[in-house]
Every structure is written in structure tokens, then in C-alpha cells.
Amino acid sequence: MLQGISNEAFVLGCSAIGAGLAMIAGMGPGIGQGFAAGKGAEAVGRQPEAEGDITRTMLLGQAVAETTGIYSLVVAIILLFVQPLLGAL
Amino acid sequence: MSIKFILSVVLIAVAAFYMVKNVKLAIITFCVAALGAIVNYAGGLVSSFIPVTIFNAVVIALGLVGFAYYFNGKLKEESIEGQPSNLLTLVEFFTETVNGLVVSTMGEKNLMFAPYIFTLFIFLIISNIVGVIGVSSPTANYSVTLSLALITFVTSQYFGIKTAGIGGYLKGFFQPIPLLAPLNIIGEIANPVSLSFRLFGNILSGGLIMTLIATAFGTLTAAIAPALNIYFDLFSGILQAFIFTMLTMVFIAGSIND
């Protein structure tokens, strides 16, 4: 089955699969950010006058929680567009 | 620069005019779009010497410096009697907002960082949302975000050494037990890396998604793109600029106040 596939095509295809797998990490930040947003909504409901501070803290925390997702995104982008594995052939 | 792009610029101006029936706003929209086209064209000319994104970063920085000189000269002519002009009110609002943010995040004694924070914020906002007018975002280039993050890193390390002394600074790495020193050093280095990757990844992925949509929908893009532009360029861009400046303040304040 692998007879007609060149080395480059095989590496590129595997890179694409790897990029897709890397993006599974997007789940984690999604859960974390949703949790933070829920807590933020709770806090605003309990103390509506502090909405500005709560929103700022929530956004900052969400940005830090997003880091792992961004790492996976960078890995996927490198696999797709820089194609470092082709150099190893 | 293609005919299609000029056509879209004209269309945007006409649409803005009919939407608001406001000649002034339509002219401003047209001028901004035309500016984007000019910058794009110039970027294409120099693209064999330097990357387009770096060229855009330089153009934005020079433009901001020019704005600062112009408005500084105008502000000095303002009289303190009578009603303050619109410009003075606007500048006062910005200054007070940024000063309040710096004081609430870094403390009263660190107010000297407010000019740098505001400069960083304005530069990042302009860089992030410039994709709306068709100019490629400077922050979609990793070297730009890394240099901005390195400024934060060096500043925080410098003030960490300055406040604690070189001995106290080095001792900080061996807290709470000496065994954790490698982890502390890695944690210190991870700050600029995550700071730069966050901005870079967000802006680059926004641009990539817009490109994917443009290739997927073809001529229908004009109908679908505006709503996505609002999210990926405006909302995400302003949010990421805010987060970058907030984290810069937190890192610098953390190294000073320890």
C-alpha cells in the first residue's frame, strides 16, 4: 500500500496528522477558560459593583490558562508551515 | 496591490457613507483604507530587503512618534482658561486611565512606568488591529513579539537586581530550598517565552483563519468576513494587547516588590 508514496509525501502527511493531534490540546484551555468565566459570572452576581475588577482579573487568568493551547498551536503551525521534519530526510 | 483591493477600499468608504450619512466619517474611513493600501504597496517594494511585517512595525512606530510630536505641539498651545478642548479632554482621559491602571497594578511608587506601559499598549493595539485594513500585522512575526517580551524580561531582571542587590537576587533562586534552583531559573525564562508566544499565536492564528475563510468562500468572503474580522482582528487584538501590557506590569511589579 505504501509502494507509490514518496518519502516527502509520507513525511508531509505525517506532519499534517501530527499537527491535527497537537490541536487536541485545545480542549484543556477551553475547559479552564469556561471554568474561570463561570466563576467570574458567579462573582459578578454576588458583587455586581466590582464588575470591572472581576472582569480584569478573569481575563488575565484566562490569558495565562490559554498558554498551553497556544503552545500546541505553535507546534501545529511549525509542523505545517516550517516543516522541520523534511530536513531529517 | 491589485485593482480588486482599491475597489474594496472604495466600496468600504461608500458603505460607511451610506450607513452613517456622515461625510467626515466616510472621508476618514477612506483615508485610513488608502493609508493601508499605500503601506501595503511600500511593503511590497521593500520586501526583498526586509520582511513586510518588520517594515509595518517600523512604519507604525514612526507614525506613532509623529502623532506624539504633533499632539504635543498642539497641547502646548492649549490655554488653561475656559472650557478644555476635545483633544485635551481625550488626552486627559487616556492619561488618567493608564495612570490608574498602573497604580492599581504596580503600586503608587511605580508610576514612572506609566509612559512605557501606554506606549506599549498603543503600539500593540495598532499593530494587532491593522489587519482590518489589509496590512499584515507586525505581531504575526515572532521576532517582534519576542523583542517586546525581552524588553519586559530585561526590565524586570534589572529592577530585581536593583532592589534586592546582586546577592539577594541570586539568593532568590535558591528559595525555598536550594534543590529547586533549576526549576526557578526555568520558570523565570518561561515568562518571556509564554508572553511572546501568546501574542504571536493569537494574532497569527487569527490571520490564518481569515486566510482559510478567504480561500474557502472565494467571492462570498466579502459577505462573511466582516463579522469574523470584528472578532479575530478587533476583539482578539485589543484583548491580547491589554493582556500583554497587564502581564508586563505584573512581571515588573513582581520583581520590584519582592
Side-chain angles (χ1 to χ4, degrees):
Chain A
M1 192 180 120
L2 288 175
Q3 291 300 316
I5 299 178
S6 67
N7 284 351
E8 278 85 18
F10 186 70
V11 168
L12 283 179
C14 286
S15 293
I17 293 172
L21 286 179
M23 286 316 292
I24 292 176
M27 266 197 298
I31 295 170
Q33 288 183 332
F35 195 71
K39 288 285 178 191
E42 261 176 39
V44 172
R46 202 176 301 133
Q47 213 175 354
E49 68 272 11
E51 195 187 345
D53 282 344
I54 292 169
T55 310
R56 213 171 63 206
T57 316
M58 184 191 81
L59 285 178
L60 197 64
Q62 286 184 331
V64 176
E66 199 187 34
T67 310
T68 50
I70 295 295
Y71 285 161
S72 77
L73 176 75
V74 169
V75 168
I77 286 173
I78 288 176
L79 277 177
L80 282 181
F81 294 104
V82 187
Q83 294 155 355
L85 298 180
L86 273 185
L89 275 180
Chain B
M1 191 171 62
S2 59
I3 305 283
K4 224 160 132 190
F5 188 73
I6 299 170
L7 207 70
S8 67
V9 166
V10 175
L11 274 179
I12 291 168
V14 171
F17 175 69
Y18 275 110
M19 251 190 269
V20 294
K21 294 270 164 103
N22 188 338
V23 185
K24 221 172 172 182
L25 201 63
I27 290 175
I28 292 175
T29 316
F30 180 77
C31 285
V32 169
L35 202 69
I38 291 170
V39 171
N40 244 351
Y41 181 66
L45 286 185
V46 298
S47 60
S48 50
F49 310 115
I50 50 172
V52 179
T53 41
I54 305 288
F55 175 76
N56 292 344
V58 174
V59 166
I60 288 169
L62 287 181
L64 286 178
V65 170
F67 259 105
Y69 266 109
Y70 177 67
F71 282 119
N72 199 15
K74 262 194 139 181
L75 276 182
K76 279 184 180 153
E77 292 165 9
E78 295 277 339
S79 68
I80 45 174
E81 280 141 32
Q83 219 175 15
S85 66
N86 289 344
L87 176 69
L88 195 62
T89 319
L90 193 70
V91 171
E92 215 165 75
F93 168 73
F94 278 136
T95 317
E96 286 199 345
T97 311
V98 171
N99 280 357
L101 197 66
V102 170
V103 166
S104 72
T105 319
M106 303 175 77
E108 192 77 55
K109 65 181 187 338
N110 292 328
L111 196 58
M112 60 170 175
F113 287 107
Y116 171 64
I117 296 298
F118 189 49
T119 312
L120 186 68
F121 190 47
I122 284 286
F123 176 72
L124 282 178
I125 281 190
I126 303 286
S127 304
N128 289 351
I129 70 175
V130 90
V132 172
I133 56 170
V135 180
S136 55
S137 276
T139 36
N141 187 328
Y142 186 56
S143 54
V144 174
T145 58
L146 182 65
S147 28
L148 290 175
L150 279 181
I151 294 174
T152 303
F153 179 69
V154 171
T155 313
S156 69
Q157 297 308 310
Y158 171 74
F159 281 99
I161 294 175
K162 202 179 168 193
T163 47
I166 187 83
Y169 169 76
L170 289 177
K171 209 177 135 199
F173 285 114
F174 297 98
Q175 303 290 349
I177 51 169
L179 196 66
L180 288 179
L183 279 182
N184 283 335
I185 291 169
I186 291 173
E188 219 33 61
I189 292 171
N191 281 344
V193 172
S194 71
L195 195 61
S196 53
F197 267 136
R198 184 177 304 120
L199 183 58
F200 165 71
N202 268 294
I203 304 302
L204 183 67
S205 64
L208 279 179
I209 290 170
M210 291 311 296
T211 316
L212 282 180
I213 286 166
T215 42
F217 290 99
T219 41
L220 275 178
T221 314
I224 300 162
L228 295 163
N229 253 332
I230 288 173
Y231 179 76
F232 286 116
D233 286 325
L234 285 179
F235 175 73
S236 177
I238 292 173
L239 188 67
Q240 290 306 320
F242 174 71
I243 283 164
F244 193 97
T245 32
M246 276 300 280
L247 285 176
T248 296
M249 284 192 276
V250 168
F251 287 151
I252 295 176
S255 71
I256 290 179
N257 296 336
D258 277 350

CSV table of all heavy atoms in Angstrom, one decimal, chain B residues 18-62:
chain,number,residue,atom,x,y,z
B,18,TYR,N,-23.0,55.6,3.3
B,18,TYR,CA,-24.5,55.4,3.3
B,18,TYR,C,-25.0,54.9,4.7
B,18,TYR,O,-26.2,55.2,5.0
B,18,TYR,CB,-24.9,54.4,2.2
B,18,TYR,CG,-25.0,55.1,0.9
B,18,TYR,CD1,-24.1,54.9,-0.1
B,18,TYR,CD2,-26.1,56.0,0.7
B,18,TYR,CE1,-24.2,55.5,-1.3
B,18,TYR,CE2,-26.2,56.6,-0.5
B,18,TYR,CZ,-25.3,56.4,-1.5
B,18,TYR,OH,-25.4,57.1,-2.7
B,19,MET,N,-24.1,54.3,5.4
B,19,MET,CA,-24.6,53.8,6.7
B,19,MET,C,-24.8,54.9,7.7
B,19,MET,O,-25.7,54.9,8.5
B,19,MET,CB,-23.6,52.8,7.3
B,19,MET,CG,-24.1,51.3,7.3
B,19,MET,SD,-23.1,50.3,8.2
B,19,MET,CE,-22.0,49.7,6.9
B,20,VAL,N,-23.9,55.8,7.7
B,20,VAL,CA,-24.0,56.9,8.8
B,20,VAL,C,-24.4,58.2,8.2
B,20,VAL,O,-24.6,59.2,8.9
B,20,VAL,CB,-22.6,57.0,9.5
B,20,VAL,CG1,-22.3,55.8,10.3
B,20,VAL,CG2,-21.5,57.3,8.5
B,21,LYS,N,-24.4,58.4,6.9
B,21,LYS,CA,-24.7,59.7,6.2
B,21,LYS,C,-23.8,60.8,6.8
B,21,LYS,O,-24.3,61.9,7.1
B,21,LYS,CB,-26.2,60.0,6.5
B,21,LYS,CG,-27.2,59.1,5.8
B,21,LYS,CD,-27.5,59.5,4.4
B,21,LYS,CE,-28.1,58.4,3.6
B,21,LYS,NZ,-29.4,58.3,3.3
B,22,ASN,N,-22.6,60.4,7.0
B,22,ASN,CA,-21.7,61.3,7.6
B,22,ASN,C,-20.5,61.5,6.7
B,22,ASN,O,-19.7,60.5,6.6
B,22,ASN,CB,-21.3,60.8,9.0
B,22,ASN,CG,-20.5,61.8,9.8
B,22,ASN,OD1,-19.9,62.7,9.3
B,22,ASN,ND2,-20.5,61.6,11.1
B,23,VAL,N,-20.3,62.6,6.1
B,23,VAL,CA,-19.3,62.8,5.1
B,23,VAL,C,-17.9,62.7,5.8
B,23,VAL,O,-17.0,62.0,5.3
B,23,VAL,CB,-19.4,64.2,4.4
B,23,VAL,CG1,-18.4,64.3,3.3
B,23,VAL,CG2,-20.8,64.3,3.9
B,24,LYS,N,-17.8,63.3,7.0
B,24,LYS,CA,-16.5,63.3,7.6
B,24,LYS,C,-16.0,61.9,7.9
B,24,LYS,O,-14.8,61.6,7.7
B,24,LYS,CB,-16.6,64.1,8.9
B,24,LYS,CG,-15.5,65.0,9.2
B,24,LYS,CD,-15.8,65.9,10.4
B,24,LYS,CE,-14.7,66.7,10.9
B,24,LYS,NZ,-15.0,67.4,12.1
B,25,LEU,N,-16.9,61.1,8.5
B,25,LEU,CA,-16.5,59.7,8.8
B,25,LEU,C,-16.1,58.9,7.6
B,25,LEU,O,-15.2,58.1,7.6
B,25,LEU,CB,-17.7,59.1,9.6
B,25,LEU,CG,-17.3,57.9,10.4
B,25,LEU,CD1,-16.4,58.3,11.5
B,25,LEU,CD2,-18.5,57.2,11.0
B,26,ALA,N,-16.9,59.1,6.5
B,26,ALA,CA,-16.6,58.4,5.3
B,26,ALA,C,-15.3,58.8,4.8
B,26,ALA,O,-14.5,57.9,4.3
B,26,ALA,CB,-17.7,58.7,4.2
B,27,ILE,N,-14.9,60.1,4.8
B,27,ILE,CA,-13.6,60.5,4.4
B,27,ILE,C,-12.5,59.9,5.2
B,27,ILE,O,-11.5,59.4,4.7
B,27,ILE,CB,-13.5,62.1,4.4
B,27,ILE,CG1,-14.4,62.7,3.3
B,27,ILE,CG2,-12.1,62.6,4.2
B,27,ILE,CD1,-14.5,64.1,3.3
B,28,ILE,N,-12.7,59.9,6.5
B,28,ILE,CA,-11.7,59.3,7.4
B,28,ILE,C,-11.5,57.8,7.1
B,28,ILE,O,-10.4,57.3,7.0
B,28,ILE,CB,-12.1,59.5,8.9
B,28,ILE,CG1,-12.1,61.0,9.3
B,28,ILE,CG2,-11.2,58.7,9.8
B,28,ILE,CD1,-12.6,61.3,10.7
B,29,THR,N,-12.7,57.1,6.9
B,29,THR,CA,-12.6,55.7,6.6
B,29,THR,C,-11.8,55.5,5.3
B,29,THR,O,-10.9,54.6,5.2
B,29,THR,CB,-14.0,55.1,6.4
B,29,THR,OG1,-14.8,55.6,7.4
B,29,THR,CG2,-14.0,53.6,6.4
B,30,PHE,N,-12.1,56.3,4.3
B,30,PHE,CA,-11.4,56.2,3.0
B,30,PHE,C,-9.9,56.5,3.2
B,30,PHE,O,-9.1,55.8,2.6
B,30,PHE,CB,-12.0,57.2,2.0
B,30,PHE,CG,-11.4,57.2,0.7
B,30,PHE,CD1,-11.7,56.2,-0.2
B,30,PHE,CD2,-10.5,58.1,0.3
B,30,PHE,CE1,-11.1,56.1,-1.4
B,30,PHE,CE2,-9.8,58.1,-0.9
B,30,PHE,CZ,-10.2,57.1,-1.8
B,31,CYS,N,-9.6,57.5,4.0
B,31,CYS,CA,-8.2,57.9,4.2
B,31,CYS,C,-7.4,56.7,4.9
B,31,CYS,O,-6.3,56.4,4.5
B,31,CYS,CB,-8.0,59.1,5.0
B,31,CYS,SG,-8.5,60.6,4.1
B,32,VAL,N,-8.1,56.1,5.9
B,32,VAL,CA,-7.4,55.0,6.6
B,32,VAL,C,-7.2,53.9,5.7
B,32,VAL,O,-6.1,53.3,5.6
B,32,VAL,CB,-8.3,54.6,7.8
B,32,VAL,CG1,-7.7,53.3,8.4
B,32,VAL,CG2,-8.2,55.7,8.9
B,33,ALA,N,-8.2,53.5,4.9
B,33,ALA,CA,-8.1,52.4,3.9
B,33,ALA,C,-7.0,52.7,2.9
B,33,ALA,O,-6.2,51.8,2.5
B,33,ALA,CB,-9.4,52.1,3.3
B,34,ALA,N,-7.0,54.0,2.4
B,34,ALA,CA,-6.0,54.3,1.4
B,34,ALA,C,-4.6,54.3,2.0
B,34,ALA,O,-3.6,53.8,1.4
B,34,ALA,CB,-6.3,55.7,0.9
B,35,LEU,N,-4.5,54.7,3.3
B,35,LEU,CA,-3.2,54.6,4.0
B,35,LEU,C,-2.7,53.1,4.1
B,35,LEU,O,-1.5,52.8,3.8
B,35,LEU,CB,-3.4,55.1,5.4
B,35,LEU,CG,-2.1,55.6,6.1
B,35,LEU,CD1,-1.6,56.8,5.5
B,35,LEU,CD2,-2.4,55.9,7.6
B,36,GLY,N,-3.7,52.2,4.4
B,36,GLY,CA,-3.4,50.8,4.4
B,36,GLY,C,-2.8,50.3,3.0
B,36,GLY,O,-1.9,49.6,2.9
B,37,ALA,N,-3.5,50.8,2.0
B,37,ALA,CA,-3.1,50.4,0.6
B,37,ALA,C,-1.7,50.9,0.3
B,37,ALA,O,-0.9,50.2,-0.3
B,37,ALA,CB,-4.1,50.9,-0.4
B,38,ILE,N,-1.4,52.2,0.7
B,38,ILE,CA,-0.1,52.7,0.5
B,38,ILE,C,1.0,51.9,1.2
B,38,ILE,O,2.0,51.6,0.7
B,38,ILE,CB,-0.1,54.2,0.9
B,38,ILE,CG1,-1.0,55.0,-0.1
B,38,ILE,CG2,1.3,54.8,0.9
B,38,ILE,CD1,-1.2,56.4,0.4
B,39,VAL,N,0.7,51.6,2.5
B,39,VAL,CA,1.7,50.9,3.3
B,39,VAL,C,1.9,49.5,2.7
B,39,VAL,O,3.1,49.0,2.6
B,39,VAL,CB,1.2,50.8,4.8
B,39,VAL,CG1,2.1,49.9,5.6
B,39,VAL,CG2,1.2,52.2,5.4
B,40,ASN,N,0.8,48.9,2.3
B,40,ASN,CA,0.9,47.6,1.6
B,40,ASN,C,1.8,47.7,0.4
B,40,ASN,O,2.7,46.8,0.2
B,40,ASN,CB,-0.5,47.1,1.2
B,40,ASN,CG,-0.9,45.9,1.9
B,40,ASN,OD1,0.0,45.3,2.6
B,40,ASN,ND2,-2.1,45.5,1.8
B,41,TYR,N,1.6,48.7,-0.4
B,41,TYR,CA,2.4,48.9,-1.7
B,41,TYR,C,3.9,49.1,-1.3
B,41,TYR,O,4.7,48.4,-1.9
B,41,TYR,CB,1.8,50.1,-2.4
B,41,TYR,CG,2.5,50.3,-3.7
B,41,TYR,CD1,2.4,49.4,-4.8
B,41,TYR,CD2,3.2,51.4,-3.9
B,41,TYR,CE1,3.0,49.6,-6.0
B,41,TYR,CE2,3.9,51.7,-5.1
B,41,TYR,CZ,3.8,50.7,-6.2
B,41,TYR,OH,4.4,50.9,-7.3
B,42,ALA,N,4.1,50.0,-0.4
B,42,ALA,CA,5.5,50.2,0.0
B,42,ALA,C,6.2,49.0,0.6
B,42,ALA,O,7.3,48.7,0.3
B,42,ALA,CB,5.6,51.4,1.0
B,43,GLY,N,5.4,48.2,1.4
B,43,GLY,CA,5.9,46.9,1.9
B,43,GLY,C,6.3,46.0,0.8
B,43,GLY,O,7.3,45.3,0.9
B,44,GLY,N,5.5,45.9,-0.3
B,44,GLY,CA,5.8,45.1,-1.4
B,44,GLY,C,7.1,45.5,-2.1
B,44,GLY,O,7.9,44.7,-2.5
B,45,LEU,N,7.4,46.8,-2.1
B,45,LEU,CA,8.6,47.3,-2.8
B,45,LEU,C,9.8,46.9,-2.0
B,45,LEU,O,10.8,46.5,-2.6
B,45,LEU,CB,8.5,48.8,-2.9
B,45,LEU,CG,7.6,49.4,-3.9
B,45,LEU,CD1,7.8,50.9,-4.0
B,45,LEU,CD2,7.9,48.8,-5.3
B,46,VAL,N,9.8,46.9,-0.6
B,46,VAL,CA,11.0,46.7,0.1
B,46,VAL,C,11.1,45.2,0.6
B,46,VAL,O,12.0,44.8,1.3
B,46,VAL,CB,11.0,47.6,1.4
B,46,VAL,CG1,11.1,49.0,1.0
B,46,VAL,CG2,9.9,47.3,2.3
B,47,SER,N,10.1,44.4,0.1
B,47,SER,CA,10.0,43.0,0.7
B,47,SER,C,11.3,42.2,0.3
B,47,SER,O,11.5,41.1,1.0
B,47,SER,CB,8.8,42.3,0.2
B,47,SER,OG,8.8,42.2,-1.2
B,48,SER,N,12.1,42.6,-0.6
B,48,SER,CA,13.3,41.9,-0.9
B,48,SER,C,14.4,42.2,0.1
B,48,SER,O,15.3,41.4,0.2
B,48,SER,CB,13.7,42.1,-2.4
B,48,SER,OG,13.8,43.5,-2.6
B,49,PHE,N,14.3,43.3,0.8
B,49,PHE,CA,15.4,43.7,1.7
B,49,PHE,C,15.0,43.2,3.2
B,49,PHE,O,15.8,42.6,3.8
B,49,PHE,CB,15.6,45.2,1.8
B,49,PHE,CG,15.8,45.8,0.4
B,49,PHE,CD1,15.0,46.6,-0.1
B,49,PHE,CD2,17.0,45.4,-0.3
B,49,PHE,CE1,15.2,47.2,-1.4
B,49,PHE,CE2,17.2,45.9,-1.6
B,49,PHE,CZ,16.3,46.8,-2.1
B,50,ILE,N,13.8,43.6,3.6
B,50,ILE,CA,13.3,43.2,4.9
B,50,ILE,C,11.9,42.6,4.8
B,50,ILE,O,11.2,42.9,3.9
B,50,ILE,CB,13.3,44.5,5.9
B,50,ILE,CG1,12.6,45.6,5.3
B,50,ILE,CG2,14.7,44.9,6.3
B,50,ILE,CD1,12.3,46.8,6.2
B,51,PRO,N,11.6,41.8,5.8
B,51,PRO,CA,10.2,41.2,5.8
B,51,PRO,C,9.2,42.3,5.9
B,51,PRO,O,9.4,43.3,6.6
B,51,PRO,CB,10.2,40.3,7.1
B,51,PRO,CG,11.6,40.0,7.4
B,51,PRO,CD,12.4,41.2,6.9
B,52,VAL,N,8.0,42.0,5.3
B,52,VAL,CA,6.9,43.1,5.3
B,52,VAL,C,6.5,43.4,6.7
B,52,VAL,O,6.2,44.6,7.0
B,52,VAL,CB,5.8,42.5,4.4
B,52,VAL,CG1,4.6,43.5,4.4
B,52,VAL,CG2,6.2,42.2,3.0
B,53,THR,N,6.4,42.4,7.6
B,53,THR,CA,5.9,42.6,8.9
B,53,THR,C,6.8,43.6,9.7
B,53,THR,O,6.3,44.4,10.4
B,53,THR,CB,5.8,41.3,9.7
B,53,THR,OG1,6.9,40.5,9.4
B,53,THR,CG2,4.5,40.6,9.3
B,54,ILE,N,8.1,43.4,9.5
B,54,ILE,CA,9.1,44.3,10.2
B,54,ILE,C,8.9,45.7,9.6
B,54,ILE,O,8.9,46.7,10.4
B,54,ILE,CB,10.5,43.8,10.0
B,54,ILE,CG1,10.7,42.4,10.4
B,54,ILE,CG2,11.5,44.7,10.7
B,54,ILE,CD1,10.7,42.2,11.9
B,55,PHE,N,8.8,45.8,8.3
B,55,PHE,CA,8.6,47.1,7.7
B,55,PHE,C,7.3,47.8,8.3
B,55,PHE,O,7.3,49.0,8.6
B,55,PHE,CB,8.4,47.0,6.2
B,55,PHE,CG,8.1,48.3,5.5
B,55,PHE,CD1,9.1,49.2,5.3
B,55,PHE,CD2,6.8,48.5,5.0
B,55,PHE,CE1,8.8,50.4,4.6
B,55,PHE,CE2,6.5,49.7,4.4
B,55,PHE,CZ,7.5,50.6,4.2
B,56,ASN,N,6.2,47.0,8.4
B,56,ASN,CA,5.0,47.6,9.0
B,56,ASN,C,5.2,48.0,10.4
B,56,ASN,O,4.7,49.1,10.8
B,56,ASN,CB,3.9,46.5,9.0
B,56,ASN,CG,3.4,46.2,7.5
B,56,ASN,OD1,3.7,47.0,6.6
B,56,ASN,ND2,2.8,45.1,7.3
B,57,ALA,N,6.0,47.2,11.2
B,57,ALA,CA,6.3,47.6,12.6
B,57,ALA,C,7.0,49.0,12.6
B,57,ALA,O,6.6,49.9,13.4
B,57,ALA,CB,7.1,46.6,13.3
B,58,VAL,N,8.0,49.1,11.7
B,58,VAL,CA,8.7,50.4,11.7
B,58,VAL,C,7.8,51.6,11.3
B,58,VAL,O,7.8,52.6,11.9
B,58,VAL,CB,9.9,50.3,10.8
B,58,VAL,CG1,10.6,51.6,10.6
B,58,VAL,CG2,10.9,49.3,11.3
B,59,VAL,N,6.9,51.3,10.3
B,59,VAL,CA,6.0,52.4,9.9
B,59,VAL,C,5.1,52.8,11.0
B,59,VAL,O,4.9,54.0,11.3
B,59,VAL,CB,5.2,51.9,8.6
B,59,VAL,CG1,4.0,52.8,8.4
B,59,VAL,CG2,6.1,51.8,7.4
B,60,ILE,N,4.6,51.8,11.7
B,60,ILE,CA,3.6,52.1,12.8
B,60,ILE,C,4.4,52.9,13.9
B,60,ILE,O,3.8,53.8,14.5
B,60,ILE,CB,3.0,50.8,13.4
B,60,ILE,CG1,2.0,50.2,12.4
B,60,ILE,CG2,2.3,51.0,14.7
B,60,ILE,CD1,1.6,48.8,12.7
B,61,ALA,N,5.6,52.4,14.3
B,61,ALA,CA,6.3,53.1,15.3
B,61,ALA,C,6.6,54.6,14.9
B,61,ALA,O,6.4,55.5,15.7
B,61,ALA,CB,7.6,52.4,15.6
B,62,LEU,N,7.1,54.8,13.6
B,62,LEU,CA,7.3,56.1,13.2
B,62,LEU,C,6.1,57.0,13.2
B,62,LEU,O,6.1,58.1,13.6
B,62,LEU,CB,8.0,56.1,11.8
B,62,LEU,CG,9.4,55.6,11.7
B,62,LEU,CD1,9.9,55.7,10.3
B,62,LEU,CD2,10.3,56.5,12.6
